Amino acid sequence: MSIQFIVVLVVCAICAFAYILRKIRKSEITIADSTFWFLFAASLVLLALFPQIAFFFSEALQIQSPSNFVFLYVIAVLVIREFLSTVELAKLRARLTTLTQREALDDLRDREKPDAD
């Protein structure tokens, strides 16, 4: 990997750390959700500081260059994260539907009750 690529990885990872910390301070993201992004940024720093890791895996997976391995790694991690987010979103939609239906039924029951007056 070239020095420029390593520098870009480190700078982007540091920017990601700063951005995540800013979002936590503004209470726009929970600490639990930010854990993934911290680990992801740390893994990019690790790949930048120890390019031997990328060389090893690019040779083991028979990828043409270590930078291609880094791109593959980033894409794979983000696709997995997106899938997990989609699963979580589907659960939340189902829960919202259930809560909306329950609220509508409660509202209907309240309207059908005879007034005690």
Side-chain angles (χ1 to χ4, degrees):
M1 284 191 294
S2 68
I3 293 293
Q4 292 89 359
F5 189 64
I6 292 172
V7 169
V8 167
L9 277 177
V10 171
V11 169
C12 288
I14 290 170
C15 288
F17 277 127
Y19 187 70
I20 293 166
L21 286 174
R22 186 170 155 224
K23 290 295 183 183
I24 291 172
R25 285 188 191 128
K26 290 185 173 186
S27 298
E28 294 178 13
I29 186 173
T30 62
I31 293 174
D33 290 333
S34 65
T35 303
F36 165 79
W37 295 107
F38 276 126
L39 293 175
F40 183 64
S43 70
L44 291 179
V45 170
L46 191 68
L47 282 172
L49 295 178
F50 301 103
Q52 304 90 329
I53 297 170
F55 279 100
F56 172 78
F57 283 110
S58 65
E59 286 178 20
L61 299 172
Q62 297 181 353
I63 297 174
Q64 192 170 15
S65 75
S67 59
N68 288 348
F69 168 75
V70 173
F71 291 133
L72 176 66
Y73 168 74
V74 168
I75 291 169
V77 168
L78 292 178
V79 165
I80 291 168
R81 176 66 178 172
E82 178 62 21
F83 175 74
L84 295 175
S85 294
T86 301
V87 169
E88 184 178 353
L89 183 61
K91 288 178 184 177
L92 289 173
R93 282 184 182 154
R95 186 169 180 205
L96 179 62
T97 301
T98 303
L99 289 172
T100 303
Q101 291 169 347
R102 185 175 295 145
E103 183 66 26
L105 288 173
D106 289 345
D107 188 43
L108 181 63
R109 279 190 215 114
D110 289 344
R111 280 193 229 159
E112 290 178 348
K113 284 184 183 177
D115 289 332
D117 295 341

